[in-house]
């Protein structure tokens, strides 16, 4: 494998290896909460965590951070596994679930209570919020803060046994109500939620908070480097506090800047809104930034990995151009996509000197970038369709496609020359009558005459209809996260972000399997959709041919 660029996290790891920290073990994890489908931001985290483990000969756990029963579901667990696998990463034999540690979490909470480092607070949720203070003002201590360990233990057991209603009390860490770091003002450890958990059912009615659970999950699994996004930087003191107080194995939390992309909303909560409110057809709508959506759109796993590598890892938040992601998929598809001919806006051409009852098969290479992809045959006859755009009645200078009296090459076929333009009563061009040069079979002649323009085409007797879905950005503004006052993010959804057309395709596309990538010659990259049926393929436009990313 080629040398991958370094970054500040790799530097930390190299230093730790040099110092012999953790006996030279490198252990990372990717810890999604199963409350939605993974998106391209998660892909960055997956590539980073699994990539580090691969590069440094360590391990990476896939861990479901399933400590909040209200929003989690096994549908999401399944989709997450599928997506990580599809990206090409292997978490080995074991899947880890935070919910498997619920007993251990409880034991450790009891330990904090016994050590006088946690207490049951009976303030109302509103009071807790009020007592917490603000950034400018210190918080106030709860009147329940001085309950004895014995008292707290009894109350905690009652919480656990379901003797309280939701919101009646919580378990809090006893840290510092005047800390300048709000996270340290006696954060909540356990809350009551009388709801079914997707794995533990109704065994528990108290659930641990993220800040308490996350470090313990890392610790229990022996994770050495716990990599998270920048918002958690000021949670790190709390992450460290719990591990120190409990005297358990202490992983190192490292923060990096999350991925933001133009024209994209990333958070699962917002993506769920788009799904629930019908702005998209589902989590795998090809306009969604989810891994499932990108896959259906035609993004390859390799292109997403290349993108992650290219954008790198940093400590500073920024927004990456969507065009950079497109650049990556275009590069990859250029290497692997089979070239085919599809006419999106057909104009009939009759080749008057081609025998009416003749049909022939012409050789077409599948991919000039890869000879081993071989050839196929495409039918040719007197009646064909070309792209309406490839003809101009009154062309400007240096127009090399078809115009009256001018020759143009039909890809894989012949030179044709336009002899007559047929119009309807409204003056609209309905047909071109052309002649062809039989000596130009295959697209060249011995006399070496120059024919500059080349166009794609389909046989009017053999083409099949294809549904082609043309996608644009889902949002009309580059930064939908930063919108005008009073707007909700869905106000900037582009109602025209999907246009469906019927195109005329060469017959080799009649029976496409889903998720095959093609280059429609001169048009763009397209991927067959799962909605395809025999004889009526459906394609999603992955990306156009022209690069718009300014490097
Ligand atoms: P969301 O707000 O989209 O729900 P999240 O951070 O709550 O994201 P988790 O399921 O908790 O989602 O994330 C799993 C991992 O993916 C975390 O380690 C998180 O830091 C990382 N991650 C999430 N979003 C991004 C992003 N935009 N860029 C990089 N990493 C991300
Ligand atoms: Mg999270
Ligand atoms: Mg979240």
């Amino acid at each position: 494998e080629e040398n991958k660029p370094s970054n500040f996290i790799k530097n930390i790891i190299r230093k730790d290896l040099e110092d012999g920290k953790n006996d030279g073990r490198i252990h990372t994890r990717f810890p999604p909460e199963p409350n939605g489908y993974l998106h391209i931001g998660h892909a960055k985290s997956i590539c980073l965590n699994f990539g580090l483990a691969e590069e440094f000969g360590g391990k990476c756990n896939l861990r479901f951070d399933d400590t909040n029963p209200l929003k989690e579901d096994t549908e999401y667990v399944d989709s997450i596994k599928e997506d990580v696998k599809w990206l090409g990463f292997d978490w080995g034999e074991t899947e880890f679930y935070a919910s498997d540690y619920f007993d251990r979490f409880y034991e450790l909470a009891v330990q904090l209570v016994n050590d006088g480092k946690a207490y049951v607070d009976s303030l109302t949720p509103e009071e807790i919020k009020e007592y917490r203070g603000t950034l400018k003002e210190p918080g106030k201590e709860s009147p329940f803060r001085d309950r004895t360990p014995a008292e707290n233990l009894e109350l905690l057991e009652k919480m656990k046994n379901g003797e309280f209603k939701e919101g009646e009390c919580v378990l809090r860490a006893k840290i510092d109500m005047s800390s300048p770091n709000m996270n340290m003002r006696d954060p909540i450890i356990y809350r009551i939620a009388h709801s079914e958990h997707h794995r533990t059912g109704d065994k528990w009615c108290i659930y641990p908070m993220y800040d308490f659970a996350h470090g313990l999950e890392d610790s229990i699994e022996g994770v050495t480097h716990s990599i998270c996004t920048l918002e958690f930087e000021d949670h790190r003191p709390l992450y460290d506090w719990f591990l120190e107080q409990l005297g358990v194995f202490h992983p190192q939390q490292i923060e990096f800047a999350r991925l933001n992309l133009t024209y994209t909303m990333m958070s699962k909560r917002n993506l769920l809104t788009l799904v629930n409110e019908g702005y998209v057809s589902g989590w795998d709508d090809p306009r969604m930034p989810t891994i499932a959506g990108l896959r259906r759109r035609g993004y390859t796993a390799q292109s997403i990995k290349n993108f992650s590598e290219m954008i790198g890892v940093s400590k500073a938040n920024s927004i990456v151009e969507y065009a950079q992601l497109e650049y990556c998929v275009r590069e990859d598809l250029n290497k692997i996509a089979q070239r085919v001919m599809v006419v999106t806006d057909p104009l009939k051409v009759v080749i008057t000197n081609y025998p009416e009852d003749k049909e022939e098969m012409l050789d077409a290479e599948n991919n000039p970038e890869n000879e081993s992809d071989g050839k196929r045959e495409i039918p040719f006859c007197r009646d064909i369709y070309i792209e309406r755009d490839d003809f101009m009645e009154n062309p400007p200078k240096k127009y090399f496609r078809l115009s009256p009296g001018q020759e143009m090459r039909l890809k894989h076929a012949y030179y044709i020359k336009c002899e007559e333009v047929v119009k309807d009563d409204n003056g609209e061009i309905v047909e071109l009558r052309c002649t062809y040069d039989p000596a130009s079979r295959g697209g060249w002649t011995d006399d070496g005459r120059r024919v500059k323009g080349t166009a794609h085409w389909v046989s009017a007797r053999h083409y099949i209809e294809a549904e082609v879905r043309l996608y644009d950005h889902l949002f009309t503004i580059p930064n939908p996260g930063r919108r005008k006052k009073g707007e909700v993010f869905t106000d900037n959804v582009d109602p025209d972000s999907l246009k469906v057309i019927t195109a005329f395709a060469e017959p080799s596309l009649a029976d496409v399997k889903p998720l095959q990538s093609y280059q429609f010659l001169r048009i763009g990259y397209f991927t067959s959709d799962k909605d395809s049926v025999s004889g009526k393929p459906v394609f999603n436009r992955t990306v156009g041919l022209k690069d718009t990313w300014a490097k």
Side-chain angles (χ1 to χ4, degrees):
E1 207 162 321
E2 90 261 42
N3 255 349
K4 294 190 168 161
S6 195
N7 59 49
F8 78 96
I9 300 181
K10 292 186 189 178
N11 293 341
I12 293 173
I13 291 181
R14 280 194 206 97
K15 175 85 173 42
D16 288 347
L17 286 172
E18 253 172 55
D19 295 349
K21 201 173 159 186
N22 300 312
D23 305 319
R25 277 190 320 112
I26 299 300
H27 201 151
T28 57
R29 86 286 174 262
F30 172 64
E33 182 179 359
N35 61 349
Y37 281 59
L38 298 180
H39 51 61
I40 181 77
H42 294 114
K44 175 177 179 175
S45 174
I46 293 168
C47 292
L48 177 61
N49 281 293
F50 281 95
L52 289 170
E54 268 171 23
E55 190 170 341
F56 292 96
K59 279 195 217 162
C60 180
N61 290 0
L62 172 63
R63 179 207 308 147
F64 295 96
D65 198 354
D66 57 348
T67 54
N68 179 1
L70 299 169
K71 294 177 175 172
E72 296 162 3
D73 198 278
T74 47
E75 176 198 345
Y76 300 134
V77 171
D78 294 341
S79 76
I80 289 169
K81 287 197 276 189
E82 186 187 346
D83 290 347
V84 175
K85 234 182 254 163
W86 178 76
L87 278 174
F89 295 107
D90 183 3
W91 57 89
E93 307 285 280
T94 328
E95 282 151 39
F96 296 86
Y97 291 86
S99 54
D100 285 344
Y101 315 141
F102 279 172
D103 287 294
R104 179 70 181 141
F105 293 161
Y106 186 77
E107 276 173 32
L108 292 166
V110 167
Q111 184 183 326
L112 287 177
V113 167
N114 285 334
D115 292 347
K117 290 168 183 163
Y119 61 98
V120 172
D121 196 354
S122 305
L123 289 179
T124 65
E126 296 74 34
E127 286 167 330
I128 289 181
K129 199 166 167 230
E130 192 194 312
Y131 276 50
R132 184 152 276 165
T134 63
L135 273 178
K136 287 183 195 135
E137 274 171 61
K140 244 180 12 190
E141 293 185 353
S142 164
F144 303 102
R145 202 175 195 259
D146 293 322
R147 281 173 165 161
T148 63
E151 223 177 324
N152 283 319
L153 196 56
E154 198 187 318
L155 289 167
L156 178 59
E157 268 167 15
K158 283 187 173 169
M159 275 174 70
K160 177 184 162 222
N161 293 337
E163 292 175 38
F164 293 114
K165 292 195 289 284
E166 288 182 15
E168 231 182 313
C169 49
V170 290
L171 183 72
R172 299 178 74 172
K174 196 175 192 173
I175 308 180
D176 179 4
M177 287 308 290
S178 59
S179 169
N181 184 341
M182 300 290 284
N183 297 312
M184 301 300 275
R185 294 187 188 173
D186 291 11
I188 296 173
I189 295 177
Y190 268 107
R191 69 194 165 111
I192 298 166
H194 291 282
S195 19
E196 287 255 319
H197 185 277
H198 70 113
R199 295 186 86 239
T200 58
D202 57 8
K203 177 174 175 194
W204 294 89
C205 64
I206 57 171
Y207 290 93
M209 302 301 285
Y210 178 89
D211 283 322
F212 175 65
H214 202 84
L216 296 180
E217 295 159 23
D218 290 339
S219 174
I220 289 166
E221 293 174 13
V223 164
T224 55
H225 299 81
S226 173
I227 298 163
C228 62
T229 46
L230 229 45
E231 317 87 81
F232 290 96
E233 195 164 21
D234 61 4
H235 294 240
R236 188 178 351 119
L238 183 54
Y239 181 99
D240 292 336
W241 188 89
F242 282 123
L243 297 172
E244 259 157 49
Q245 301 305 314
L246 291 165
V248 292
F249 175 70
H250 195 148
Q252 180 183 0
Q253 177 178 304
I254 303 169
E255 308 86 17
F256 73 104
R258 69 191 295 118
L259 168 66
N260 298 299
L261 258 189
T262 55
Y263 299 101
T264 306
M265 290 300 280
M266 211 80 92
S267 112
K268 282 178 280 187
R269 191 168 46 89
N270 292 324
L271 298 181
L272 182 63
T273 302
L274 292 171
V275 172
N276 284 345
E277 297 184 7
Y279 289 96
V280 294
S281 63
W283 285 100
D284 68 347
D285 186 293
R287 288 164 294 180
M288 289 283 269
T290 51
I291 297 179
L294 289 165
R295 176 168 60 230
R296 194 170 167 195
R297 179 80 173 255
Y299 277 76
T300 56
Q302 191 59 52
S303 67
I304 292 174
K305 287 188 195 170
N306 292 348
F307 173 71
S308 298
E309 197 65 48
M310 204 169 166
I311 56 177
V313 180
S314 102
K315 268 273 182 197
N317 277 315
S318 66
I319 302 192
V320 174
E321 297 277 335
Y322 198 91
Q324 193 170 347
L325 181 61
E326 293 183 327
Y327 168 85
C328 291
V329 75
R330 200 180 282 114
E331 286 259 288
D332 194 42
L333 292 182
N334 181 45
K335 288 186 212 140
I336 61 172
Q338 180 175 327
R339 272 59 171 172
V340 292
M341 297 203 286
V342 176
V343 174
T344 58
D345 185 12
L347 175 61
K348 180 86 178 278
V349 171
V350 178
I351 302 164
T352 53
N353 61 338
Y354 193 93
E356 172 133 35
D357 52 3
K358 182 177 170 183
E359 289 178 8
E360 66 181 309
M361 298 303 283
L362 299 169
D363 273 353
E365 66 195 338
N366 286 329
N367 184 356
E369 302 285 320
N370 184 1
E371 217 172 302
S372 69
D373 279 350
K375 286 182 188 169
R376 70 190 181 288
E377 291 195 312
I378 40 181
F380 186 80
C381 67
R382 182 176 184 264
D383 305 312
I384 62 167
Y385 287 101
I386 64 168
E387 209 69 66
R388 194 164 276 276
D389 254 7
D390 284 333
F391 175 77
M392 264 186 114
E393 197 173 13
N394 300 299
K397 270 195 181 136
K398 296 203 172 167
Y399 181 80
F400 298 120
R401 287 167 282 163
L402 203 59
S403 59
Q406 182 162 298
E407 270 190 317
M408 176 180 75
R409 176 185 298 104
L410 295 176
K411 182 77 178 171
H412 307 308
Y414 296 98
Y415 297 164
I416 55 168
K417 185 197 256 175
C418 177
E419 311 283 359
E420 190 190 338
V421 180
V422 183
K423 297 182 181 175
D424 66 10
D425 295 342
N426 302 320
E428 175 128 11
I429 300 169
V430 291
E431 185 179 299
L432 303 176
R433 301 186 76 82
C434 297
T435 52
Y436 85 119
D437 177 357
S440 62
R441 194 173 194 269
W444 60 280
T445 53
D446 282 335
D447 66 5
R449 77 178 182 272
R450 274 159 60 86
V451 172
K452 278 199 174 165
T454 302
H456 58 281
W457 55 273
V458 291
S459 159
R461 291 182 203 158
H462 305 90
Y463 77 88
I464 56 156
E465 288 193 356
E467 179 178 324
V468 177
R469 299 173 180 171
L470 304 170
Y471 297 101
D472 211 331
H473 293 308
L474 189 51
F475 292 95
T476 52
I477 55 172
N479 189 349
R482 212 170 277 151
R483 55 194 169 263
K484 291 195 211 104
K485 246 201 169 143
E487 277 185 347
V488 291
F489 83 99
T490 48
D491 290 344
N492 294 304
V493 170
D494 183 353
D496 299 320
S497 52
L498 166 60
K499 242 174 40 202
V500 181
I501 61 167
T502 299
F504 292 0
E506 61 169 80
S508 73
L509 294 172
D511 291 295
V512 287
K513 287 180 292 199
L515 294 186
Q516 302 294 305
S517 293
Y518 297 93
Q519 186 194 96
F520 291 3
L521 279 180
R522 302 175 63 234
I523 307 228
Y525 293 100
F526 291 78
T527 297
S528 47
D529 193 78
K530 62 183 181 188
D531 292 344
S532 300
V533 293
S534 179
K536 183 76 200 279
V538 177
F539 293 97
N540 298 316
R541 180 170 63 195
T542 312
V543 69
L545 289 180
K546 250 233 236 65
D547 186 16
T548 55
W549 180 50
K551 268 164 276 183

